[in-house]
Amino acid sequence: MSAAALADLIRERQPCVVLTGAGVSTESGIPDFRSATGIWADVDPFEVASMQAFRRDPERVWSFYRERIQLLRDARPNAAHRAIAELERRGLVAGVITQNIDTLHTRAGSREVVEVHGSIRSSRCLGCLWSEPADAVLAQLEVGSAPVCPHCGEVLKPGVVLFGELLPAAELDRAAHLSRTARLLVVVGSSLEVWPVAGLPLEAQAFAIVNRGPTALDEQALLKLDAGAGETLSAVLDAL
């Protein structure tokens, strides 16, 4: 199977929606989570990225996210992000559902982006629900303390979905709607291990997968390409 075969599916099965995971952003220098060299190989997520940890010790959670937010802000969209944005510009992709929090899809030019796990663009107050922009949050982090809400003084929570926290209902509804109306959902850079997002391909009429390594749904996919996101999607553009 080849990128040309994926291009044919995208052309023939409209509307098409893209679902992306960490494997899309590794080519921008952002480590994934679950591989042998991923983030969780050295850090326990329930100690630094869970709601329980945040309520117990927000300073420790923010010590983890301080470096992570800066890394993600410094990263730049890669060939995969740019190819997906171009497919949307050409009218061949109706929307992007992403598990990533790095905002690289929007920075690459994609307009219809559903961030089901939140993003780094802001942080939220659990007390008064104020949303604080990332620049203001980083300014507070630079002085070495957890950022606080300018209105009520509560410690702000990173604007990402932590372990033990429900996904934002509105975003999950949008993702489900896009999936159900898709004649083709293209999974890119996701091992499809994290639910409920991992079940979205089953909502579409059909799906294809571009991912290095196996996923739980390989046998049900119309097409599986075990390849990098950037090279594959660039080749898809060339074939269209």
Side-chain angles (χ1 to χ4, degrees), residues 62 69-70 73 120-123 130-143 145-150 156:
W62 273 112
I69 289 174
Q70 194 58 62
R73 281 168 61 90
I120 60 165
R121 84 173 38 84
S122 64
S123 295
W130 173 257
S131 181
E132 186 78 348
D135 287 341
V137 171
L138 286 173
Q140 291 194 58
L141 288 172
E142 286 175 0
V143 301
S145 61
V148 297
C149 175
L156 295 169

mmCIF file with all atom_site columns, all heavy atoms in Angstrom, residues 62 69-70 73 120-123 130-143 145-150 156:
data_model
loop_
_atom_site.group_PDB
_atom_site.id
_atom_site.type_symbol
_atom_site.label_atom_id
_atom_site.label_alt_id
_atom_site.label_comp_id
_atom_site.label_asym_id
_atom_site.label_entity_id
_atom_site.label_seq_id
_atom_site.pdbx_PDB_ins_code
_atom_site.Cartn_x
_atom_site.Cartn_y
_atom_site.Cartn_z
_atom_site.occupancy
_atom_site.B_iso_or_equiv
_atom_site.pdbx_formal_charge
_atom_site.auth_seq_id
_atom_site.auth_comp_id
_atom_site.auth_asym_id
_atom_site.auth_atom_id
_atom_site.pdbx_PDB_model_num
ATOM 1   N N   . TRP A 1 62  ? 2.762   22.287 38.081 1.00 0.00 ? 62  TRP A N   1
ATOM 2   C CA  . TRP A 1 62  ? 3.227   23.408 37.267 1.00 0.00 ? 62  TRP A CA  1
ATOM 3   C C   . TRP A 1 62  ? 4.730   23.347 36.994 1.00 0.00 ? 62  TRP A C   1
ATOM 4   O O   . TRP A 1 62  ? 5.201   23.850 35.976 1.00 0.00 ? 62  TRP A O   1
ATOM 5   C CB  . TRP A 1 62  ? 2.841   24.735 37.911 1.00 0.00 ? 62  TRP A CB  1
ATOM 6   C CG  . TRP A 1 62  ? 1.467   25.181 37.511 1.00 0.00 ? 62  TRP A CG  1
ATOM 7   C CD1 . TRP A 1 62  ? 0.351   25.264 38.291 1.00 0.00 ? 62  TRP A CD1 1
ATOM 8   C CD2 . TRP A 1 62  ? 1.063   25.586 36.204 1.00 0.00 ? 62  TRP A CD2 1
ATOM 9   N NE1 . TRP A 1 62  ? -0.716  25.687 37.559 1.00 0.00 ? 62  TRP A NE1 1
ATOM 10  C CE2 . TRP A 1 62  ? -0.309  25.903 36.273 1.00 0.00 ? 62  TRP A CE2 1
ATOM 11  C CE3 . TRP A 1 62  ? 1.739   25.719 34.983 1.00 0.00 ? 62  TRP A CE3 1
ATOM 12  C CZ2 . TRP A 1 62  ? -1.029  26.341 35.163 1.00 0.00 ? 62  TRP A CZ2 1
ATOM 13  C CZ3 . TRP A 1 62  ? 1.020   26.151 33.879 1.00 0.00 ? 62  TRP A CZ3 1
ATOM 14  C CH2 . TRP A 1 62  ? -0.352  26.453 33.969 1.00 0.00 ? 62  TRP A CH2 1
ATOM 15  N N   . ILE A 1 69  ? 5.250   23.629 28.422 1.00 0.00 ? 69  ILE A N   1
ATOM 16  C CA  . ILE A 1 69  ? 4.590   24.699 27.676 1.00 0.00 ? 69  ILE A CA  1
ATOM 17  C C   . ILE A 1 69  ? 5.607   25.482 26.854 1.00 0.00 ? 69  ILE A C   1
ATOM 18  O O   . ILE A 1 69  ? 5.362   25.818 25.691 1.00 0.00 ? 69  ILE A O   1
ATOM 19  C CB  . ILE A 1 69  ? 3.824   25.630 28.632 1.00 0.00 ? 69  ILE A CB  1
ATOM 20  C CG1 . ILE A 1 69  ? 2.586   24.908 29.180 1.00 0.00 ? 69  ILE A CG1 1
ATOM 21  C CG2 . ILE A 1 69  ? 3.404   26.919 27.927 1.00 0.00 ? 69  ILE A CG2 1
ATOM 22  C CD1 . ILE A 1 69  ? 1.840   25.685 30.242 1.00 0.00 ? 69  ILE A CD1 1
ATOM 23  N N   . GLN A 1 70  ? 6.763   25.753 27.434 1.00 0.00 ? 70  GLN A N   1
ATOM 24  C CA  . GLN A 1 70  ? 7.781   26.495 26.686 1.00 0.00 ? 70  GLN A CA  1
ATOM 25  C C   . GLN A 1 70  ? 8.280   25.696 25.490 1.00 0.00 ? 70  GLN A C   1
ATOM 26  O O   . GLN A 1 70  ? 8.482   26.242 24.398 1.00 0.00 ? 70  GLN A O   1
ATOM 27  C CB  . GLN A 1 70  ? 8.955   26.857 27.595 1.00 0.00 ? 70  GLN A CB  1
ATOM 28  C CG  . GLN A 1 70  ? 9.884   27.909 27.003 1.00 0.00 ? 70  GLN A CG  1
ATOM 29  C CD  . GLN A 1 70  ? 9.168   29.195 26.671 1.00 0.00 ? 70  GLN A CD  1
ATOM 30  O OE1 . GLN A 1 70  ? 8.617   29.854 27.555 1.00 0.00 ? 70  GLN A OE1 1
ATOM 31  N NE2 . GLN A 1 70  ? 9.157   29.574 25.400 1.00 0.00 ? 70  GLN A NE2 1
ATOM 32  N N   . ARG A 1 73  ? 5.579   25.829 22.805 1.00 0.00 ? 73  ARG A N   1
ATOM 33  C CA  . ARG A 1 73  ? 5.481   27.159 22.176 1.00 0.00 ? 73  ARG A CA  1
ATOM 34  C C   . ARG A 1 73  ? 6.639   27.406 21.219 1.00 0.00 ? 73  ARG A C   1
ATOM 35  O O   . ARG A 1 73  ? 6.492   28.133 20.224 1.00 0.00 ? 73  ARG A O   1
ATOM 36  C CB  . ARG A 1 73  ? 5.435   28.245 23.254 1.00 0.00 ? 73  ARG A CB  1
ATOM 37  C CG  . ARG A 1 73  ? 4.068   28.408 23.897 1.00 0.00 ? 73  ARG A CG  1
ATOM 38  C CD  . ARG A 1 73  ? 4.141   29.274 25.136 1.00 0.00 ? 73  ARG A CD  1
ATOM 39  N NE  . ARG A 1 73  ? 4.608   30.619 24.865 1.00 0.00 ? 73  ARG A NE  1
ATOM 40  C CZ  . ARG A 1 73  ? 3.818   31.653 24.560 1.00 0.00 ? 73  ARG A CZ  1
ATOM 41  N NH1 . ARG A 1 73  ? 2.507   31.471 24.473 1.00 0.00 ? 73  ARG A NH1 1
ATOM 42  N NH2 . ARG A 1 73  ? 4.319   32.851 24.379 1.00 0.00 ? 73  ARG A NH2 1
ATOM 43  N N   . ILE A 1 120 ? -2.357  24.476 25.069 1.00 0.00 ? 120 ILE A N   1
ATOM 44  C CA  . ILE A 1 120 ? -1.489  25.315 25.898 1.00 0.00 ? 120 ILE A CA  1
ATOM 45  C C   . ILE A 1 120 ? -1.803  26.795 25.739 1.00 0.00 ? 120 ILE A C   1
ATOM 46  O O   . ILE A 1 120 ? -1.137  27.632 26.347 1.00 0.00 ? 120 ILE A O   1
ATOM 47  C CB  . ILE A 1 120 ? -0.008  25.083 25.547 1.00 0.00 ? 120 ILE A CB  1
ATOM 48  C CG1 . ILE A 1 120 ? 0.245   25.439 24.065 1.00 0.00 ? 120 ILE A CG1 1
ATOM 49  C CG2 . ILE A 1 120 ? 0.417   23.669 25.874 1.00 0.00 ? 120 ILE A CG2 1
ATOM 50  C CD1 . ILE A 1 120 ? 1.704   25.581 23.707 1.00 0.00 ? 120 ILE A CD1 1
ATOM 51  N N   . ARG A 1 121 ? -2.815  27.147 24.917 1.00 0.00 ? 121 ARG A N   1
ATOM 52  C CA  . ARG A 1 121 ? -3.010  28.570 24.628 1.00 0.00 ? 121 ARG A CA  1
ATOM 53  C C   . ARG A 1 121 ? -3.532  29.348 25.829 1.00 0.00 ? 121 ARG A C   1
ATOM 54  O O   . ARG A 1 121 ? -3.441  30.563 25.863 1.00 0.00 ? 121 ARG A O   1
ATOM 55  C CB  . ARG A 1 121 ? -3.874  28.741 23.385 1.00 0.00 ? 121 ARG A CB  1
ATOM 56  C CG  . ARG A 1 121 ? -5.282  28.708 23.463 1.00 0.00 ? 121 ARG A CG  1
ATOM 57  C CD  . ARG A 1 121 ? -6.019  29.061 22.163 1.00 0.00 ? 121 ARG A CD  1
ATOM 58  N NE  . ARG A 1 121 ? -5.421  28.577 20.951 1.00 0.00 ? 121 ARG A NE  1
ATOM 59  C CZ  . ARG A 1 121 ? -5.589  27.351 20.443 1.00 0.00 ? 121 ARG A CZ  1
ATOM 60  N NH1 . ARG A 1 121 ? -6.314  26.458 21.105 1.00 0.00 ? 121 ARG A NH1 1
ATOM 61  N NH2 . ARG A 1 121 ? -5.025  27.014 19.311 1.00 0.00 ? 121 ARG A NH2 1
ATOM 62  N N   . SER A 1 122 ? -4.057  28.653 26.846 1.00 0.00 ? 122 SER A N   1
ATOM 63  C CA  . SER A 1 122 ? -4.536  29.359 28.032 1.00 0.00 ? 122 SER A CA  1
ATOM 64  C C   . SER A 1 122 ? -4.597  28.397 29.212 1.00 0.00 ? 122 SER A C   1
ATOM 65  O O   . SER A 1 122 ? -4.446  27.187 29.053 1.00 0.00 ? 122 SER A O   1
ATOM 66  C CB  . SER A 1 122 ? -5.919  29.964 27.779 1.00 0.00 ? 122 SER A CB  1
ATOM 67  O OG  . SER A 1 122 ? -6.868  28.942 27.537 1.00 0.00 ? 122 SER A OG  1
ATOM 68  N N   . SER A 1 123 ? -4.812  28.971 30.402 1.00 0.00 ? 123 SER A N   1
ATOM 69  C CA  . SER A 1 123 ? -5.037  28.185 31.612 1.00 0.00 ? 123 SER A CA  1
ATOM 70  C C   . SER A 1 123 ? -6.344  28.641 32.236 1.00 0.00 ? 123 SER A C   1
ATOM 71  O O   . SER A 1 123 ? -6.800  29.761 31.989 1.00 0.00 ? 123 SER A O   1
ATOM 72  C CB  . SER A 1 123 ? -3.878  28.352 32.598 1.00 0.00 ? 123 SER A CB  1
ATOM 73  O OG  . SER A 1 123 ? -2.688  27.819 32.048 1.00 0.00 ? 123 SER A OG  1
ATOM 74  N N   . TRP A 1 130 ? -12.296 31.775 35.025 1.00 0.00 ? 130 TRP A N   1
ATOM 75  C CA  . TRP A 1 130 ? -11.547 32.719 34.203 1.00 0.00 ? 130 TRP A CA  1
ATOM 76  C C   . TRP A 1 130 ? -10.520 31.975 33.354 1.00 0.00 ? 130 TRP A C   1
ATOM 77  O O   . TRP A 1 130 ? -9.907  31.006 33.799 1.00 0.00 ? 130 TRP A O   1
ATOM 78  C CB  . TRP A 1 130 ? -10.834 33.742 35.092 1.00 0.00 ? 130 TRP A CB  1
ATOM 79  C CG  . TRP A 1 130 ? -9.902  34.656 34.352 1.00 0.00 ? 130 TRP A CG  1
ATOM 80  C CD1 . TRP A 1 130 ? -8.541  34.571 34.310 1.00 0.00 ? 130 TRP A CD1 1
ATOM 81  C CD2 . TRP A 1 130 ? -10.254 35.780 33.555 1.00 0.00 ? 130 TRP A CD2 1
ATOM 82  N NE1 . TRP A 1 130 ? -8.019  35.575 33.540 1.00 0.00 ? 130 TRP A NE1 1
ATOM 83  C CE2 . TRP A 1 130 ? -9.056  36.331 33.050 1.00 0.00 ? 130 TRP A CE2 1
ATOM 84  C CE3 . TRP A 1 130 ? -11.462 36.383 33.208 1.00 0.00 ? 130 TRP A CE3 1
ATOM 85  C CZ2 . TRP A 1 130 ? -9.024  37.463 32.227 1.00 0.00 ? 130 TRP A CZ2 1
ATOM 86  C CZ3 . TRP A 1 130 ? -11.442 37.499 32.388 1.00 0.00 ? 130 TRP A CZ3 1
ATOM 87  C CH2 . TRP A 1 130 ? -10.240 38.022 31.911 1.00 0.00 ? 130 TRP A CH2 1
ATOM 88  N N   . SER A 1 131 ? -10.320 32.430 32.119 1.00 0.00 ? 131 SER A N   1
ATOM 89  C CA  . SER A 1 131 ? -9.314  31.850 31.236 1.00 0.00 ? 131 SER A CA  1
ATOM 90  C C   . SER A 1 131 ? -8.174  32.840 31.067 1.00 0.00 ? 131 SER A C   1
ATOM 91  O O   . SER A 1 131 ? -8.384  33.971 30.608 1.00 0.00 ? 131 SER A O   1
ATOM 92  C CB  . SER A 1 131 ? -9.946  31.524 29.872 1.00 0.00 ? 131 SER A CB  1
ATOM 93  O OG  . SER A 1 131 ? -9.005  30.936 29.011 1.00 0.00 ? 131 SER A OG  1
ATOM 94  N N   . GLU A 1 132 ? -6.984  32.431 31.448 1.00 0.00 ? 132 GLU A N   1
ATOM 95  C CA  . GLU A 1 132 ? -5.813  33.311 31.410 1.00 0.00 ? 132 GLU A CA  1
ATOM 96  C C   . GLU A 1 132 ? -4.922  32.935 30.230 1.00 0.00 ? 132 GLU A C   1
ATOM 97  O O   . GLU A 1 132 ? -4.528  31.773 30.082 1.00 0.00 ? 132 GLU A O   1
ATOM 98  C CB  . GLU A 1 132 ? -5.020  33.180 32.716 1.00 0.00 ? 132 GLU A CB  1
ATOM 99  C CG  . GLU A 1 132 ? -3.868  34.152 32.860 1.00 0.00 ? 132 GLU A CG  1
ATOM 100 C CD  . GLU A 1 132 ? -4.291  35.565 33.247 1.00 0.00 ? 132 GLU A CD  1
ATOM 101 O OE1 . GLU A 1 132 ? -5.511  35.879 33.193 1.00 0.00 ? 132 GLU A OE1 1
ATOM 102 O OE2 . GLU A 1 132 ? -3.417  36.355 33.607 1.00 0.00 ? 132 GLU A OE2 1
ATOM 103 N N   . PRO A 1 133 ? -4.583  33.902 29.333 1.00 0.00 ? 133 PRO A N   1
ATOM 104 C CA  . PRO A 1 133 ? -3.743  33.601 28.171 1.00 0.00 ? 133 PRO A CA  1
ATOM 105 C C   . PRO A 1 133 ? -2.366  33.078 28.568 1.00 0.00 ? 133 PRO A C   1
ATOM 106 O O   . PRO A 1 133 ? -1.851  33.384 29.654 1.00 0.00 ? 133 PRO A O   1
ATOM 107 C CB  . PRO A 1 133 ? -3.636  34.955 27.460 1.00 0.00 ? 133 PRO A CB  1
ATOM 108 C CG  . PRO A 1 133 ? -4.798  35.754 27.959 1.00 0.00 ? 133 PRO A CG  1
ATOM 109 C CD  . PRO A 1 133 ? -5.019  35.301 29.375 1.00 0.00 ? 133 PRO A CD  1
ATOM 110 N N   . ALA A 1 134 ? -1.770  32.321 27.663 1.00 0.00 ? 134 ALA A N   1
ATOM 111 C CA  . ALA A 1 134 ? -0.493  31.656 27.943 1.00 0.00 ? 134 ALA A CA  1
ATOM 112 C C   . ALA A 1 134 ? 0.614   32.644 28.289 1.00 0.00 ? 134 ALA A C   1
ATOM 113 O O   . ALA A 1 134 ? 1.440   32.372 29.163 1.00 0.00 ? 134 ALA A O   1
ATOM 114 C CB  . ALA A 1 134 ? -0.084  30.797 26.754 1.00 0.00 ? 134 ALA A CB  1
ATOM 115 N N   . ASP A 1 135 ? 0.671   33.785 27.613 1.00 0.00 ? 135 ASP A N   1
ATOM 116 C CA  . ASP A 1 135 ? 1.739   34.747 27.893 1.00 0.00 ? 135 ASP A CA  1
ATOM 117 C C   . ASP A 1 135 ? 1.702   35.215 29.344 1.00 0.00 ? 135 ASP A C   1
ATOM 118 O O   . ASP A 1 135 ? 2.752   35.335 29.993 1.00 0.00 ? 135 ASP A O   1
ATOM 119 C CB  . ASP A 1 135 ? 1.622   35.958 26.952 1.00 0.00 ? 135 ASP A CB  1
ATOM 120 C CG  . ASP A 1 135 ? 2.039   35.634 25.528 1.00 0.00 ? 135 ASP A CG  1
ATOM 121 O OD1 . ASP A 1 135 ? 2.749   34.621 25.341 1.00 0.00 ? 135 ASP A OD1 1
ATOM 122 O OD2 . ASP A 1 135 ? 1.650   36.377 24.609 1.00 0.00 ? 135 ASP A OD2 1
ATOM 123 N N   . ALA A 1 136 ? 0.516   35.486 29.851 1.00 0.00 ? 136 ALA A N   1
ATOM 124 C CA  . ALA A 1 136 ? 0.387   35.934 31.234 1.00 0.00 ? 136 ALA A CA  1
ATOM 125 C C   . ALA A 1 136 ? 0.757   34.814 32.200 1.00 0.00 ? 136 ALA A C   1
ATOM 126 O O   . ALA A 1 136 ? 1.369   35.044 33.248 1.00 0.00 ? 136 ALA A O   1
ATOM 127 C CB  . ALA A 1 136 ? -1.036  36.423 31.494 1.00 0.00 ? 136 ALA A CB  1
ATOM 128 N N   . VAL A 1 137 ? 0.382   33.585 31.841 1.00 0.00 ? 137 VAL A N   1
ATOM 129 C CA  . VAL A 1 137 ? 0.722   32.434 32.687 1.00 0.00 ? 137 VAL A CA  1
ATOM 130 C C   . VAL A 1 137 ? 2.232   32.243 32.742 1.00 0.00 ? 137 VAL A C   1
ATOM 131 O O   . VAL A 1 137 ? 2.815   32.059 33.819 1.00 0.00 ? 137 VAL A O   1
ATOM 132 C CB  . VAL A 1 137 ? 0.039   31.162 32.154 1.00 0.00 ? 137 VAL A CB  1
ATOM 133 C CG1 . VAL A 1 137 ? 0.561   29.921 32.873 1.00 0.00 ? 137 VAL A CG1 1
ATOM 134 C CG2 . VAL A 1 137 ? -1.470  31.265 32.314 1.00 0.00 ? 137 VAL A CG2 1
ATOM 135 N N   . LEU A 1 138 ? 2.895   32.312 31.583 1.00 0.00 ? 138 LEU A N   1
ATOM 136 C CA  . LEU A 1 138 ? 4.348   32.134 31.553 1.00 0.00 ? 138 LEU A CA  1
ATOM 137 C C   . LEU A 1 138 ? 5.060   33.241 32.323 1.00 0.00 ? 138 LEU A C   1
ATOM 138 O O   . LEU A 1 138 ? 6.087   32.999 32.955 1.00 0.00 ? 138 LEU A O   1
ATOM 139 C CB  . LEU A 1 138 ? 4.838   32.100 30.104 1.00 0.00 ? 138 LEU A CB  1
ATOM 140 C CG  . LEU A 1 138 ? 4.524   30.798 29.345 1.00 0.00 ? 138 LEU A CG  1
ATOM 141 C CD1 . LEU A 1 138 ? 4.898   30.942 27.871 1.00 0.00 ? 138 LEU A CD1 1
ATOM 142 C CD2 . LEU A 1 138 ? 5.258   29.619 29.951 1.00 0.00 ? 138 LEU A CD2 1
ATOM 143 N N   . ALA A 1 139 ? 4.530   34.442 32.288 1.00 0.00 ? 139 ALA A N   1
ATOM 144 C CA  . ALA A 1 139 ? 5.135   35.546 33.036 1.00 0.00 ? 139 ALA A CA  1
ATOM 145 C C   . ALA A 1 139 ? 5.124   35.244 34.529 1.00 0.00 ? 139 ALA A C   1
ATOM 146 O O   . ALA A 1 139 ? 6.097   35.533 35.246 1.00 0.00 ? 139 ALA A O   1
ATOM 147 C CB  . ALA A 1 139 ? 4.390   36.842 32.743 1.00 0.00 ? 139 ALA A CB  1
ATOM 148 N N   . GLN A 1 140 ? 4.030   34.649 35.010 1.00 0.00 ? 140 GLN A N   1
ATOM 149 C CA  . GLN A 1 140 ? 3.970   34.266 36.431 1.00 0.00 ? 140 GLN A CA  1
ATOM 150 C C   . GLN A 1 140 ? 4.916   33.100 36.717 1.00 0.00 ? 140 GLN A C   1
ATOM 151 O O   . GLN A 1 140 ? 5.562   33.058 37.762 1.00 0.00 ? 140 GLN A O   1
ATOM 152 C CB  . GLN A 1 140 ? 2.545   33.887 36.823 1.00 0.00 ? 140 GLN A CB  1
ATOM 153 C CG  . GLN A 1 140 ? 1.560   35.048 36.836 1.00 0.00 ? 140 GLN A CG  1
ATOM 154 C CD  . GLN A 1 140 ? 0.278   34.678 37.549 1.00 0.00 ? 140 GLN A CD  1
ATOM 155 O OE1 . GLN A 1 140 ? 0.281   34.302 38.729 1.00 0.00 ? 140 GLN A OE1 1
ATOM 156 N NE2 . GLN A 1 140 ? -0.843  34.775 36.834 1.00 0.00 ? 140 GLN A NE2 1
ATOM 157 N N   . LEU A 1 141 ? 4.997   32.162 35.790 1.00 0.00 ? 141 LEU A N   1
ATOM 158 C CA  . LEU A 1 141 ? 5.860   30.997 35.995 1.00 0.00 ? 141 LEU A CA  1
ATOM 159 C C   . LEU A 1 141 ? 7.329   31.395 36.062 1.00 0.00 ? 141 LEU A C   1
ATOM 160 O O   . LEU A 1 141 ? 8.129   30.746 36.741 1.00 0.00 ? 141 LEU A O   1
ATOM 161 C CB  . LEU A 1 141 ? 5.640   29.978 34.874 1.00 0.00 ? 141 LEU A CB  1
ATOM 162 C CG  . LEU A 1 141 ? 4.310   29.212 34.905 1.00 0.00 ? 141 LEU A CG  1
ATOM 163 C CD1 . LEU A 1 141 ? 4.157   28.385 33.638 1.00 0.00 ? 141 LEU A CD1 1
ATOM 164 C CD2 . LEU A 1 141 ? 4.230   28.309 36.135 1.00 0.00 ? 141 LEU A CD2 1
ATOM 165 N N   . GLU A 1 142 ? 7.694   32.452 35.364 1.00 0.00 ? 142 GLU A N   1
ATOM 166 C CA  . GLU A 1 142 ? 9.095   32.885 35.334 1.00 0.00 ? 142 GLU A CA  1
ATOM 167 C C   . GLU A 1 142 ? 9.594   33.328 36.707 1.00 0.00 ? 142 GLU A C   1
ATOM 168 O O   . GLU A 1 142 ? 10.787  33.306 36.971 1.00 0.00 ? 142 GLU A O   1
ATOM 169 C CB  . GLU A 1 142 ? 9.275   34.004 34.319 1.00 0.00 ? 142 GLU A CB  1
ATOM 170 C CG  . GLU A 1 142 ? 9.230   33.520 32.870 1.00 0.00 ? 142 GLU A CG  1
ATOM 171 C CD  . GLU A 1 142 ? 9.301   34.663 31.874 1.00 0.00 ? 142 GLU A CD  1
ATOM 172 O OE1 . GLU A 1 142 ? 9.391   35.831 32.321 1.00 0.00 ? 142 GLU A OE1 1
ATOM 173 O OE2 . GLU A 1 142 ? 9.258   34.382 30.664 1.00 0.00 ? 142 GLU A OE2 1
ATOM 174 N N   . VAL A 1 143 ? 8.680   33.745 37.572 1.00 0.00 ? 143 VAL A N   1
ATOM 175 C CA  . VAL A 1 143 ? 9.099   34.157 38.918 1.00 0.00 ? 143 VAL A CA  1
ATOM 176 C C   . VAL A 1 143 ? 9.109   32.981 39.889 1.00 0.00 ? 143 VAL A C   1
ATOM 177 O O   . VAL A 1 143 ? 9.394   33.142 41.074 1.00 0.00 ? 143 VAL A O   1
ATOM 178 C CB  . VAL A 1 143 ? 8.198   35.282 39.461 1.00 0.00 ? 143 VAL A CB  1
ATOM 179 C CG1 . VAL A 1 143 ? 8.245   36.489 38.541 1.00 0.00 ? 143 VAL A CG1 1
ATOM 180 C CG2 . VAL A 1 143 ? 6.768   34.800 39.660 1.00 0.00 ? 143 VAL A CG2 1
ATOM 181 N N   . SER A 1 145 ? 6.621   30.628 40.728 1.00 0.00 ? 145 SER A N   1
ATOM 182 C CA  . SER A 1 145 ? 5.465   30.163 41.494 1.00 0.00 ? 145 SER A CA  1
ATOM 183 C C   . SER A 1 145 ? 4.346   29.738 40.567 1.00 0.00 ? 145 SER A C   1
ATOM 184 O O   . SER A 1 145 ? 4.324   30.112 39.391 1.00 0.00 ? 145 SER A O   1
ATOM 185 C CB  . SER A 1 145 ? 4.962   31.271 42.430 1.00 0.00 ? 145 SER A CB  1
ATOM 186 O OG  . SER A 1 145 ? 4.563   32.403 41.673 1.00 0.00 ? 145 SER A OG  1
ATOM 187 N N   . ALA A 1 146 ? 3.402   28.958 41.084 1.00 0.00 ? 146 ALA A N   1
ATOM 188 C CA  . ALA A 1 146 ? 2.259   28.552 40.286 1.00 0.00 ? 146 ALA A CA  1
ATOM 189 C C   . ALA A 1 146 ? 1.424   29.781 39.952 1.00 0.00 ? 146 ALA A C   1
ATOM 190 O O   . ALA A 1 146 ? 1.233   30.657 40.803 1.00 0.00 ? 146 ALA A O   1
ATOM 191 C CB  . ALA A 1 146 ? 1.420   27.528 41.047 1.00 0.00 ? 146 ALA A CB  1
ATOM 192 N N   . PRO A 1 147 ? 0.915   29.879 38.737 1.00 0.00 ? 147 PRO A N   1
ATOM 193 C CA  . PRO A 1 147 ? 0.129   31.053 38.349 1.00 0.00 ? 147 PRO A CA  1
ATOM 194 C C   . PRO A 1 147 ? -1.211  31.079 39.065 1.00 0.00 ? 147 PRO A C   1
ATOM 195 O O   . PRO A 1 147 ? -1.818  30.038 39.316 1.00 0.00 ? 147 PRO A O   1
ATOM 196 C CB  . PRO A 1 147 ? -0.051  30.872 36.836 1.00 0.00 ? 147 PRO A CB  1
ATOM 197 C CG  . PRO A 1 147 ? 0.041   29.396 36.627 1.00 0.00 ? 147 PRO A CG  1
ATOM 198 C CD  . PRO A 1 147 ? 1.033   28.900 37.634 1.00 0.00 ? 147 PRO A CD  1
ATOM 199 N N   . VAL A 1 148 ? -1.665  32.284 39.398 1.00 0.00 ? 148 VAL A N   1
ATOM 200 C CA  . VAL A 1 148 ? -2.938  32.431 40.094 1.00 0.00 ? 148 VAL A CA  1
ATOM 201 C C   . VAL A 1 148 ? -3.887  33.289 39.277 1.00 0.00 ? 148 VAL A C   1
ATOM 202 O O   . VAL A 1 148 ? -3.473  34.105 38.452 1.00 0.00 ? 148 VAL A O   1
ATOM 203 C CB  . VAL A 1 148 ? -2.757  33.039 41.505 1.00 0.00 ? 148 VAL A CB  1
ATOM 204 C CG1 . VAL A 1 148 ? -1.917  32.124 42.375 1.00 0.00 ? 148 VAL A CG1 1
ATOM 205 C CG2 . VAL A 1 148 ? -2.133  34.421 41.412 1.00 0.00 ? 148 VAL A CG2 1
ATOM 206 N N   . CYS A 1 149 ? -5.164  33.103 39.508 1.00 0.00 ? 149 CYS A N   1
ATOM 207 C CA  . CYS A 1 149 ? -6.209  33.852 38.813 1.00 0.00 ? 149 CYS A CA  1
ATOM 208 C C   . CYS A 1 149 ? -6.160  35.314 39.232 1.00 0.00 ? 149 CYS A C   1
ATOM 209 O O   . CYS A 1 149 ? -6.131  35.626 40.432 1.00 0.00 ? 149 CYS A O   1
ATOM 210 C CB  . CYS A 1 149 ? -7.567  33.248 39.146 1.00 0.00 ? 149 CYS A CB  1
ATOM 211 S SG  . CYS A 1 149 ? -8.977  34.162 38.468 1.00 0.00 ? 149 CYS A SG  1
ATOM 212 N N   . PRO A 1 150 ? -6.150  36.252 38.284 1.00 0.00 ? 150 PRO A N   1
ATOM 213 C CA  . PRO A 1 150 ? -6.102  37.676 38.634 1.00 0.00 ? 150 PRO A CA  1
ATOM 214 C C   . PRO A 1 150 ? -7.397  38.180 39.252 1.00 0.00 ? 150 PRO A C   1
ATOM 215 O O   . PRO A 1 150 ? -7.439  39.286 39.799 1.00 0.00 ? 150 PRO A O   1
ATOM 216 C CB  . PRO A 1 150 ? -5.839  38.342 37.285 1.00 0.00 ? 150 PRO A CB  1
ATOM 217 C CG  . PRO A 1 150 ? -6.411  37.417 36.273 1.00 0.00 ? 150 PRO A CG  1
ATOM 218 C CD  . PRO A 1 150 ? -6.162  36.037 36.827 1.00 0.00 ? 150 PRO A CD  1
ATOM 219 N N   . LEU A 1 156 ? -4.341  28.663 39.009 1.00 0.00 ? 156 LEU A N   1
ATOM 220 C CA  . LEU A 1 156 ? -4.836  28.281 37.692 1.00 0.00 ? 156 LEU A CA  1
ATOM 221 C C   . LEU A 1 156 ? -4.453  26.850 37.354 1.00 0.00 ? 156 LEU A C   1
ATOM 222 O O   . LEU A 1 156 ? -3.406  26.360 37.779 1.00 0.00 ? 156 LEU A O   1
ATOM 223 C CB  . LEU A 1 156 ? -4.259  29.219 36.629 1.00 0.00 ? 156 LEU A CB  1
ATOM 224 C CG  . LEU A 1 156 ? -4.681  30.684 36.710 1.00 0.00 ? 156 LEU A CG  1
ATOM 225 C CD1 . LEU A 1 156 ? -3.826  31.525 35.765 1.00 0.00 ? 156 LEU A CD1 1
ATOM 226 C CD2 . LEU A 1 156 ? -6.157  30.851 36.381 1.00 0.00 ? 156 LEU A CD2 1
#
